[in-house]
Amino acid sequence: MALYMGPNLLTGPIPSSLGTLSKLNVMSLVENRLSGEIPPTLGNLTQLIEFYLTGNELTGQIPPSLGKCSLGILSLGNNNLTGKIPNEVFLADTIIDLSFQNNMLVGPIPSELGLLRNMVVVDFMGNMLTGEIPVSIGGCQSLQYLYVRQNLLHGSIPSTMKKLTGLQELDLSSNNLSGTIPEFFSSFAGLTYLNLSFNKLIGEVPDAGIFHNATAFSIVGNDDLCGGIPALGLPPCLKQSTKKKKFPRLPVVVSVSTILSLIFISFLIFQYGKHKSNKKQLDPIASSSQLPRVSYADLSRATDGFSTANLIGEGRFGSVYRGNMSLGEHSIVAVKILKLQERGASHSFLAECETLRYLRHRNLVKILTACSTIDPRQYDFKALVFEYLPNGNLDKWLHVNKGEHGGQQALNLCQRLSIVIDVGSAVEYLHDFKPKPVVHCDLKPSNILLDSDMVPHVGDFGLARFINQQNRNQFQSSGWTAFRGTFGYAAPEYGIGNEVTTCGDVYSYGILLLEMFTGRSPTGENFQAEFNLHSFVVAAFPNHVEVVADHNLIPSSEDTERDPNSLLNKEATLSRLASILRIGLICSKQLPAERMQMRDVVKELHKIKEKLYPLRNNEGTFESQIAERTQEQAH
């Protein structure tokens, strides 16, 4: 038996009489305006397996009686609950998902947490928990997601956490943790997101495993760290003999033999001042790149309180709003608000910051600044601000509905060919980026935005990562591979847990190319299991291209009869479409080794473009020269 009553606008207290529904297995009252305390009588629901109260205005303490239920999922986040977490809640060994985020809970994390061997998710972020991380946590051997950011925890990271080898995401940021960063995190093969920022950690940063990928972890706001990979920009660690002790930041007695030490300590003081001045912003991209700073109030004002009237796009990890604000030469911007309640959203924010701070290409979306702060409700708030591209995303133009875009017709062959070449150039730039290639991991039409001149810009780098070609196996992960792209576009090898490579982007690009020139989405209802967009085109290639090609791209017989000297006759068009689809088929082959490299793809497409539209010179735009040739033939 299940009871679902949210999201709605329900107000008032939760009726204690709900405790009489003895056969209830699932209760969900999420996203209402319920107030008052959680009735202790709900502990009588001994068959209750899933209990969701997230997103209400509940107060008071968590009833210890909930420990009598056979709970597998207990979700009480985003309320105003107070008091300590009752030990009894952890006595139900059936619990696999425990979410108490964004309340006002106090006291220590109960040591009974370690009894939950089957626990998969623990989310305590955004409370006022004190004490140390219990050493008993090593007993949670099935734990995959642990979020404890923005609390008041102190002490070191316990060595017993080395038993949590299945961890995929770990966030201990914004606490008062001290000591060194444990080396054992480097050996966690499935760990794809690690946030240790804004604590009091000291010592050397490891440089293996997850610490070799700057987009996968964050350590900002720990002023006494050193070493690590060069991308972190940390000072080198002092080499000390075993007889010497490490000295924290203390007054230094100067002697003749300490000149070199003074130089190094001066550098540390400089770094400390720089970090300290940026602590309020908590913004890795704005602080490092000297970009404009914006506050929550600025973004709220620019988007009219994040009004739905300004909502221009929505994805798994964020919502994008049109905003009116002055940032340099930009008066209109696109503001992406991260959905931090989604697991992986913080990783997405970090990935976009770390990749876009380095990347510069005319066909990539330009980031203007970022914001990481606390909203008026004292919840974490993260946002990215991009240039605004008025023609929206490519998906809306490929599958345009009548009346959209001011009556704009479907994209013509010339426009589509220019777009795929520009997108290919951007992907080629990513794959050839130095010192390490970048894999986008989510190429698809909805992530390609068009400016006022219909020039494409690849965006949404929330899944992107730098890759180390010398040690690719370090990226193998059974957990994060589920987020390696979108169904229909993601490379088949990602589905069986293979590591992220540039070949995966090539596959997605191949599917994108096939979609653009057939007009069919790879997620269409006709494509299932083995019969996908690739096999659909293969069945007609090369002799029946006209059957699968988008009919908007092929001149009709009537057009050819009216204009026998047409620049693009039907035969020439079908021939070039076959050449384009051939590239898409090679890029989307099942085996990664059989796919083309992006630099070769771009070269081949340029050749097709030149044969289809031979140009006399390099002056003017491509489209203007085509128009000029057409006018000449008309005369």
Side-chain angles (χ1 to χ4, degrees):
M1 183 183 294
L3 175 65
Y4 296 97
M5 299 185 70
N8 280 296
L9 298 174
L10 299 177
T11 59
I14 299 173
S16 59
S17 58
L18 290 178
T20 61
L21 304 177
S22 58
K23 295 185 179 180
L24 202 61
N25 303 123
V26 179
M27 183 189 297
S28 177
L29 304 175
V30 301
E31 302 296 335
N32 283 288
R33 296 177 183 174
L34 298 172
S35 57
E37 299 187 0
I38 301 173
T41 55
L42 299 183
N44 297 330
L45 305 177
T46 56
Q47 297 185 38
L48 192 64
I49 300 173
E50 299 179 21
F51 187 25
Y52 305 92
L53 289 178
T54 307
N56 283 284
E57 299 171 6
L58 299 169
T59 57
Q61 300 187 10
I62 300 172
S65 59
L66 293 181
K68 300 176 184 178
C69 304
S70 303
L71 290 171
I73 299 176
L74 178 58
S75 183
L76 306 179
N78 299 330
N79 282 284
N80 298 308
L81 299 173
T82 57
K84 296 182 179 181
I85 301 174
N87 299 343
E88 289 82 357
V89 171
F90 298 95
L91 300 180
D93 58 4
T94 53
I95 289 185
I96 60 173
D97 189 329
L98 196 62
S99 300
F100 294 162
Q101 75 275 15
N102 298 324
N103 281 285
M104 293 182 284
L105 300 173
V106 299
I109 298 174
S111 60
E112 286 80 1
L113 174 66
L115 300 175
L116 304 177
R117 297 185 178 274
N118 299 316
M119 178 71 75
V120 176
V121 179
V122 174
D123 193 343
F124 292 151
M125 71 178 186
N127 283 283
M128 294 181 285
L129 300 176
T130 54
E132 300 185 7
I133 299 173
V135 294
S136 63
I137 197 170
C140 302
Q141 296 180 9
S142 299
L143 195 60
Q144 297 180 29
Y145 303 92
L146 176 60
Y147 307 99
V148 201
R149 92 165 167 263
Q150 201 179 336
N151 279 282
L152 303 172
L153 301 177
H154 65 268
S156 59
I157 298 173
S159 60
T160 53
M161 288 188 71
K162 66 184 176 183
K163 298 178 182 179
L164 307 181
T165 56
L167 272 180
Q168 297 180 26
E169 296 188 11
L170 174 62
D171 193 339
L172 303 178
S173 62
S174 299
N175 281 282
N176 294 308
L177 299 174
S178 56
T180 58
I181 297 176
E183 188 76 31
F184 56 74
F185 287 147
S186 303
S187 64
F188 288 4
L191 189 60
T192 58
Y193 172 70
L194 175 64
N195 194 346
L196 303 176
S197 58
F198 300 101
N199 281 288
K200 298 178 180 178
L201 300 172
I202 62 172
E204 185 168 8
V205 178
D207 59 3
I210 191 171
F211 297 103
H212 201 79
N213 180 10
T215 66
F217 73 100
S218 177
I219 54 169
V220 297
N222 293 281
D223 300 321
D224 292 318
L225 293 174
C226 61
I229 58 176
L232 300 177
L234 295 175
C237 295
L238 287 171
K239 301 297 180 183
Q240 299 181 352
S241 67
T242 54
K243 292 183 179 180
K244 291 183 180 180
K245 296 181 180 179
K246 289 185 177 179
F247 291 94
R249 206 163 44 235
L250 292 173
V252 179
V253 179
V254 181
S255 66
V256 176
S257 62
T258 60
I259 294 176
L260 292 177
S261 298
L262 268 175
I263 295 172
F264 180 72
I265 291 171
S266 298
F267 179 75
L268 285 181
I269 293 172
F270 169 76
Q271 291 292 325
Y272 170 72
K274 188 166 66 174
H275 282 301
K276 192 172 183 180
S277 66
N278 287 331
K279 267 192 177 183
K280 271 194 175 182
Q281 185 67 13
L282 309 188
D283 186 349
I285 187 166
S287 62
S288 64
S289 305
Q290 300 301 315
L291 294 177
R293 293 190 178 187
V294 293
S295 65
Y296 174 90
D298 293 332
L299 298 179
S300 178
R301 187 163 48 249
T303 59
D304 194 20
F306 309 111
S307 166
T308 54
N310 288 319
L311 184 67
I312 56 177
E314 194 152 10
R316 176 185 177 88
F317 295 129
S319 301
V320 183
Y321 296 84
R322 183 183 186 273
N324 294 302
M325 65 187 307
S326 179
L327 282 178
E329 60 185 23
H330 302 275
S331 58
I332 303 177
V333 298
V335 182
K336 181 177 180 179
I337 309 299
L338 276 295
K339 300 177 181 177
L340 296 179
Q341 70 274 17
E342 288 286 338
R343 294 189 184 101
S346 293
H347 181 286
S348 171
F349 176 80
L350 182 61
E352 293 215 62
C353 286
E354 289 298 323
T355 51
L356 292 175
R357 67 189 292 190
Y358 298 114
L359 303 177
R360 298 290 185 274
H361 191 277
R362 68 182 291 268
N363 296 119
L364 296 181
V365 171
K366 181 181 179 182
I367 188 168
L368 303 179
T369 189
C371 176
S372 180
T373 185
I374 305 298
D375 70 15
R377 295 182 65 188
Q378 298 302 302
Y379 294 160
D380 278 359
F381 176 86
K382 296 185 187 297
L384 296 161
V385 183
F386 298 95
E387 62 177 332
Y388 176 72
L389 300 170
N391 274 320
N393 67 57
L394 178 59
D395 184 72
K396 294 178 181 178
W397 286 84
L398 288 180
H399 309 292
V400 63
N401 292 322
K402 198 171 183 180
E404 284 191 16
H405 308 299
Q408 167 72 34
Q409 299 299 312
L411 295 171
N412 60 40
L413 182 57
C414 169
Q415 290 173 315
R416 298 190 200 202
L417 191 51
S418 294
I419 289 171
V420 292
I421 289 175
D422 282 345
V423 172
S425 298
V427 179
E428 179 187 3
Y429 166 80
L430 296 177
H431 292 181
D432 290 340
F433 188 76
K434 305 297 181 185
K436 295 178 182 179
V438 178
V439 181
H440 185 277
C441 292
D442 201 15
L443 279 175
K444 58 183 178 180
S446 59
N447 286 340
I448 298 169
L449 304 176
L450 301 168
D451 64 20
S452 56
D453 296 320
M454 297 300 288
V455 174
H457 300 255
V458 177
D460 199 341
F461 282 76
L463 297 181
R465 66 195 311 168
F466 294 94
I467 63 171
N468 181 7
Q469 292 179 312
Q470 277 69 47
N471 187 17
R472 292 190 174 188
N473 287 335
Q474 68 172 297
F475 297 109
Q476 201 160 3
S477 166
S478 60
W480 190 246
T481 50
F483 298 101
R484 297 292 80 182
T486 301
F487 176 76
Y489 300 92
E493 62 268 20
Y494 292 166
I496 57 174
N498 282 16
E499 71 268 18
V500 167
T501 68
T502 55
C503 294
D505 276 357
V506 174
Y507 179 90
S508 301
Y509 179 85
I511 295 298
L512 167 68
L513 192 151
L514 295 179
E515 179 176 6
M516 288 192 68
F517 292 91
T518 64
R520 296 172 183 265
S521 169
T523 58
E525 58 184 19
N526 293 328
F527 298 134
Q528 298 177 0
E530 298 300 319
F531 185 68
N532 53 27
L533 181 56
H534 177 94
S535 58
F536 170 73
V537 177
V538 166
F541 190 83
N543 297 322
H544 302 286
V545 168
E546 186 174 358
V547 176
V548 296
D550 189 337
H551 289 173
N552 291 310
L553 304 178
I554 305 172
S556 65
S557 301
E558 292 78 9
D559 292 335
T560 306
E561 290 173 2
R562 275 197 307 267
D563 185 11
N565 296 318
S566 174
L567 181 62
L568 301 178
N569 59 49
K570 185 174 181 179
E571 292 74 18
T573 301
L574 288 175
S575 174
R576 301 311 174 211
L577 281 173
S579 299
I580 295 169
L581 293 176
R582 171 184 167 274
I583 294 173
L585 290 175
I586 297 174
C587 289
S588 58
K589 279 182 172 290
Q590 188 81 5
L591 297 178
E594 296 180 354
R595 300 169 196 158
M596 298 175 70
Q597 295 291 314
M598 282 309 304
R599 64 177 69 91
D600 297 324
V601 170
V602 175
K603 288 178 183 177
E604 290 296 318
L605 290 173
H606 269 298
K607 289 178 182 178
I608 295 171
K609 179 179 178 180
E610 290 168 4
K611 291 179 180 178
L612 199 53
Y613 304 106
L615 303 181
R616 297 174 305 172
N617 53 59
N618 294 322
E619 297 177 358
T621 64
F622 175 65
E623 288 77 6
S624 66
Q625 293 183 59
I626 295 302
E628 181 183 342
R629 288 183 60 85
T630 305
Q631 290 175 0
E632 289 176 356
Q633 290 194 357
H635 291 297

